[in-house]
Structures are given as structure tokens and as C-alpha cells.
Amino acid sequence: MAERKIRSLEDLGISSTILKKLQELGITTVEALAAANAQELSQNLAIPLPTIQKLIGQARDALGLGFRTALEIKKERLNLPKITTGSRNLDTLLGGGVEVKTITELFGEFGSGKTQLCHQLTVNVQLPLEKGGLSKKAVYVDTEGTFRWERVESMARALGMDPDQVMEHIYYNRVVNSDHQMAVVEELKDLIPRENIGLVIVDSITGHFRAEYPGRENLALRQQKLNRHLHQLMSLAELYDVAVVVTNQVMARPDVFYGDPTVAIGGHVLYHAPGIRVQLKKSRGNRRIARIVDAPHLPESEAVFAITEAGIRDPE
Ligand code: GTP
Ligand code: MG
């Protein structure tokens, strides 16, 4: 990515009066200003709309959100840092690992390894670049209470990292309902830049939404709420250069004979959203199979990995 000279709102040459007003509204970073709503801001600050639009425009330009050529996009995509999963097979399937600026959805039945992979990524993101990490911290939004620090501890130890330090670099939040879940993600706008976060996990993204909007009759409303949540996560990914990984439990249906019985109900949540969908399936013993679903730029193939004592690895 091109070097960014503008790092803070001060660098945009905004007057201290406006700066202060922006701060009062919680807009403290260039990213937050770039994502602000001009109309609302103009009203709240009692500043003419064209002035606000110009400011927001400057923030967007500073972040490279203006027009770019396709070649620039290609180069940026190819150079995006990736987080290793711990399995070479799985990394290869993903084109090198879990990508920043992208939402990766892990979907599959219970026990398929979604939560284990999330745990592993919170450790691996902290590895230095040359070992497949980002040297950054992680956020774990837990909706089901299945996060285990003990597991993180043993995964860190297996990599020769200091377990306490690794755990100190994982920001954990157990969310109790979908409103809480969305509010927590909103707060990440402050936490991510402040704490040098490189990875945001939401395990699982669908649990609360399914419980609160059950059945077919609520399907449209549920999807609408989920889309808002996904949109939140997508702007985080794009504006703050973080990798976002969400999980989605999909039940197997033994009565489906044609096609893939696990995709049949529930399906993946990223239907129309950009991102990578990875289906996980149980295999023999500790082996799991991963498959990429509708990603034109990645090969249609499968990868086998294992859940071992040390964490996610290639099978023996
Ligand atoms: P749901 O959340 O129920 O949908 O499942 P999931 O896809 O999140 O499954 P999860 O990642 O929890 O995988 C569970 C599997 O991981 C278990 O069946 C175990 O095989 C394995 N596993 C979990 N903890 C450990 C551990 O401490 N050591 C080892 N070796 N394997 C573990
Ligand atoms: Mg799980």
C-alpha cells in the first residue's frame, strides 16, 4: 500500500474549533471522519453541508478511497498481508492465509472446527510477519461462551510464545444479545486503532440473530439485521486493515439426498456480501476438510487439516 502521510485529523488541517466539535461526537480518527454521514454531521455541528462534504472528501482521499485504477487494486490485493492458519494445506487453499480487509466466513456443522480455528488465529495474528502473523492483537467477540483461555495458552506454548503475553493481547467480550453484539462492534472503531488490532473474530455471527428472530416468518427481518451487522464489519475490515473472521453453524440434514446436505439449511450468511466463505466438514478422527464456496479467484479445491493438541496443523 502507498505510504500514508495523513495519519490524524490534525494532519488534515482542520481548525481546532471544528476538531473539538468532532471529538465531542466521537469522531477522533481520519477513518471515522471518512465513514461519517455528511448530512448528520452538518446538522450536529451547525456547519454548512458543503464544508463538511469537503472535509469528509479529504479524509476519504487521505485513505485512498477515491478512484483508483484496476491495476492499483490488483497490486494492493496481491500484497495484502495474510494470517497463517497453522496448516499449510489450509493456507494454500486460502491463497496464503486469512486475508486482511476481508470478511472470512467459516461455516459448518457442530464440531467442524470453527471455534478451534478462531482460537488459533487469535494466537497466530500475533506472530511476526516472517512467521505468518501481523505482529498485531486480536479481538474475540464470543456469542456462545465457547472461548477457552486454556486452549489459547496451549496453542501459544506450542509455538514457543509467552502464553500470558499472548492472552494479554486478546480482547475478549462475551455478548448477550444481537444489540449488544452490534454495539460492541461499533466500539471497535476506537479499540482497533488504539490497540493495534489486526484480527476481529465473531463466534458465532448468527447465534443471537437466529434465537431472536426464529422461524421462516422472521427470516426477512433477521437477514436485514444481519446485513447491517455485516456492513458494520465490512467497513471495519476495509477502513482499519483488519481481518474479520465470522463463524456460522450450519446443521447437517440427513434427509437431503441431492447436493451437499450441510449447505441445505441455514446456508452461509455472506450471500451477497463480498468476502470468502469456507465450509468446514468433519472427517476421520481429528481431521477436518475445508472447501471454498463461490470464490471465483480461488481454486475449487479442498484442503485437509487436523485439530491437534498443539492446535490447527496439517494432518500427520
Ligand atoms: P459448534 O460451535 O458447535 O458449531 O462447533 P465448532 O465448529 O466451533 O467446533 P469446534 O471448533 O469447537 O471443534 C470442536 C472439536 O475440536 C472437538 O470435537 C475436538 O475434536 C477438537 N478440540 C477441541 N478442543 C480441543 C483440545 O483442547 N485439544 C484437541 N486435541 N482437540 C480439541
Ligand atoms: Mg464453535
Side-chain angles (χ1 to χ4, degrees):
M1 236 177 66
E3 287 305 316
R4 256 168 52 196
K5 280 187 230 73
I6 294 184
R7 300 199 166 273
S8 69
L9 288 177
E10 283 82 356
D11 300 338
L12 286 174
I14 301 174
S15 78
S16 55
T17 335
I18 298 186
L19 216 56
K20 212 162 151 203
K21 286 185 182 175
L22 287 173
Q23 247 146 29
E24 279 161 17
L25 289 174
I27 297 175
T28 54
T29 60
V30 182
E31 284 83 359
L33 181 59
N37 179 307
Q39 208 84 38
E40 278 175 23
L41 214 57
S42 163
Q43 274 169 15
N44 284 329
L45 297 178
I47 291 173
L49 186 60
T51 312
I52 291 294
Q53 281 169 333
K54 196 165 152 235
L55 268 185
I56 294 179
Q58 284 172 340
R60 289 184 181 153
D61 287 346
L63 296 176
L65 297 178
F67 269 107
R68 284 177 303 163
T69 65
L71 185 61
E72 283 170 336
I73 294 172
K74 175 186 171 185
K75 284 181 180 158
E76 186 188 291
R77 275 282 143 191
L78 292 179
N79 288 324
L80 284 181
K82 313 255 164 69
I83 307 167
T84 179
T85 60
S87 154
R88 223 172 259 274
N89 294 349
L90 191 49
D91 285 352
T92 306
L93 182 80
L94 294 169
V98 171
E99 211 171 67
V100 303
K101 276 184 178 280
T102 305
I103 298 190
T104 302
E105 175 184 346
L106 306 175
F107 73 101
E109 59 182 316
F110 76 94
S112 57
K114 305 181 290 293
T115 298
Q116 290 300 307
L117 187 48
C118 289
H119 279 64
Q120 186 71 62
L121 290 167
T122 64
V123 176
N124 291 3
V125 69
Q126 302 185 41
L127 288 166
L129 243 59
E130 66 273 16
K131 288 191 172 170
L134 306 177
S135 284
K136 289 190 178 183
K137 304 180 190 174
V139 163
Y140 203 108
V141 179
D142 185 3
T143 73
E144 320 196 304
T146 50
F147 178 81
R148 296 285 173 270
W149 60 265
E150 296 90 335
R151 194 59 177 132
V152 170
E153 195 171 44
S154 40
M155 287 173 168
R157 199 164 277 138
L159 290 174
M161 300 160 90
D162 172 3
D164 282 357
Q165 196 189 341
V166 168
M167 289 190 279
E168 199 172 20
H169 291 171
I170 299 171
Y171 289 83
Y172 174 80
N173 204 323
R174 167 85 166 97
V175 297
V176 293
N177 59 35
S178 66
D179 278 341
H180 188 201
Q181 189 172 330
M182 291 179 75
V184 162
V185 168
E186 208 52 43
E187 284 171 31
L188 293 180
K189 287 181 178 155
D190 296 321
L191 189 76
I192 290 174
R194 195 173 68 231
E195 294 299 337
N196 194 28
I197 307 287
L199 167 72
V200 173
I201 302 275
V202 184
D203 183 21
S204 85
I205 189 169
T206 38
H208 286 312
F209 290 89
R210 285 218 180 103
E212 291 163 35
Y213 305 97
R216 261 189 185 283
E217 65 276 22
N218 287 315
L219 200 62
L221 186 58
R222 184 211 300 168
Q223 194 57 42
Q224 197 183 326
K225 296 253 173 186
L226 254 174
N227 283 344
R228 263 188 50 210
H229 187 41
L230 280 169
H231 186 260
Q232 266 186 313
L233 290 165
M234 241 175 298
S235 23
L236 282 187
E238 295 199 349
L239 285 172
Y240 299 96
D241 286 0
V242 293
V244 173
V245 175
V246 304
T247 72
N248 174 24
Q249 194 194 63
V250 178
M251 270 176 290
R253 255 182 76 172
D255 56 328
V256 174
F257 293 106
Y258 298 101
D260 187 333
T262 34
V263 204
I265 52 165
H268 50 76
V269 291
L270 289 176
Y271 291 110
H272 302 296
I276 294 177
R277 306 140 188 87
V278 185
Q279 185 181 12
L280 301 182
K281 280 192 260 188
K282 284 189 259 194
S283 180
R284 196 160 39 81
N286 68 353
R287 289 176 181 231
R288 300 291 184 275
I289 300 168
R291 191 166 70 98
I292 305 276
V293 178
D294 22 274
H297 65 293
L298 289 171
E300 263 251 352
S301 60
E302 293 186 339
V304 183
F305 64 97
I307 308 174
T308 74
E309 259 331 289
I312 303 297
R313 294 290 185 273
D314 279 338
E316 296 278 292

Coordinates of all heavy atoms in Angstrom, one line a residue, residues 136-138 171 190-198:
K136 N 0.2 -8.2 15.5 CA -0.9 -7.4 16.0 C -1.7 -8.2 17.0 O -1.6 -9.4 17.1 CB -1.7 -6.9 14.8 CG -1.0 -5.8 14.0 CD -2.0 -5.2 13.0 CE -1.3 -4.1 12.2 NZ -2.2 -3.4 11.3
K137 N -2.7 -7.4 17.6 CA -3.5 -8.1 18.6 C -4.8 -8.5 18.0 O -5.1 -8.2 16.9 CB -3.8 -7.1 19.8 CG -2.5 -6.5 20.4 CD -2.9 -5.6 21.5 CE -1.6 -4.8 22.0 NZ -2.0 -3.7 22.9
A138 N -5.6 -9.2 18.8 CA -6.9 -9.8 18.3 C -8.1 -9.4 19.2 O -7.9 -9.1 20.4 CB -6.8 -11.3 18.3
Y171 N -8.5 -9.3 23.2 CA -9.5 -8.5 23.8 C -10.8 -9.3 23.6 O -11.3 -9.5 22.5 CB -9.7 -7.1 23.2 CG -8.5 -6.3 23.6 CD1 -7.3 -6.3 22.9 CD2 -8.6 -5.4 24.7 CE1 -6.2 -5.6 23.3 CE2 -7.5 -4.7 25.1 CZ -6.3 -4.7 24.4 OH -5.3 -4.0 24.7
D190 N -12.9 2.5 18.0 CA -11.9 3.2 18.9 C -10.8 2.2 19.2 O -9.6 2.5 19.2 CB -12.6 3.7 20.2 CG -13.6 4.8 19.9 OD1 -13.3 5.6 19.0 OD2 -14.6 4.8 20.5
L191 N -11.2 1.0 19.6 CA -10.3 0.0 20.1 C -9.2 -0.4 19.0 O -8.0 -0.6 19.3 CB -11.0 -1.3 20.6 CG -10.2 -2.3 21.3 CD1 -9.9 -1.7 22.7 CD2 -10.9 -3.6 21.4
I192 N -9.7 -0.6 17.8 CA -8.8 -1.2 16.8 C -7.5 -0.3 16.5 O -6.4 -0.8 16.6 CB -9.5 -1.4 15.4 CG1 -10.5 -2.6 15.6 CG2 -8.6 -1.7 14.3 CD1 -11.4 -2.9 14.4
P193 N -7.7 1.0 16.3 CA -6.5 1.8 16.1 C -5.7 2.0 17.4 O -4.5 2.0 17.3 CB -7.0 3.2 15.6 CG -8.5 3.2 15.8 CD -8.9 1.8 16.0
R194 N -6.4 2.1 18.5 CA -5.7 2.4 19.7 C -4.9 1.2 20.2 O -3.8 1.4 20.7 CB -6.8 2.7 20.8 CG -6.2 3.3 22.1 CD -7.2 3.8 23.1 NE -7.9 2.7 23.7 CZ -9.2 2.5 23.7 NH1 -10.0 3.4 23.2 NH2 -9.8 1.5 24.3
E195 N -5.3 0.0 20.0 CA -4.6 -1.2 20.5 C -3.9 -2.0 19.4 O -3.5 -3.1 19.7 CB -5.6 -2.1 21.3 CG -6.1 -1.4 22.6 CD -5.0 -1.0 23.6 OE1 -3.9 -1.7 23.5 OE2 -5.3 -0.1 24.4
N196 N -3.9 -1.5 18.2 CA -3.1 -2.2 17.2 C -3.7 -3.6 16.9 O -3.0 -4.6 17.0 CB -1.7 -2.3 17.5 CG -0.8 -2.7 16.3 OD1 -1.2 -2.4 15.2 ND2 0.3 -3.3 16.6
I197 N -5.0 -3.6 16.7 CA -5.7 -4.8 16.4 C -5.6 -5.2 14.9 O -5.7 -4.4 14.1 CB -7.2 -4.7 16.8 CG1 -7.4 -4.2 18.2 CG2 -8.0 -6.0 16.5 CD1 -7.2 -5.1 19.3
G198 N -5.3 -6.5 14.7 CA -5.2 -7.0 13.3 C -6.3 -8.0 12.9 O -6.4 -8.3 11.7

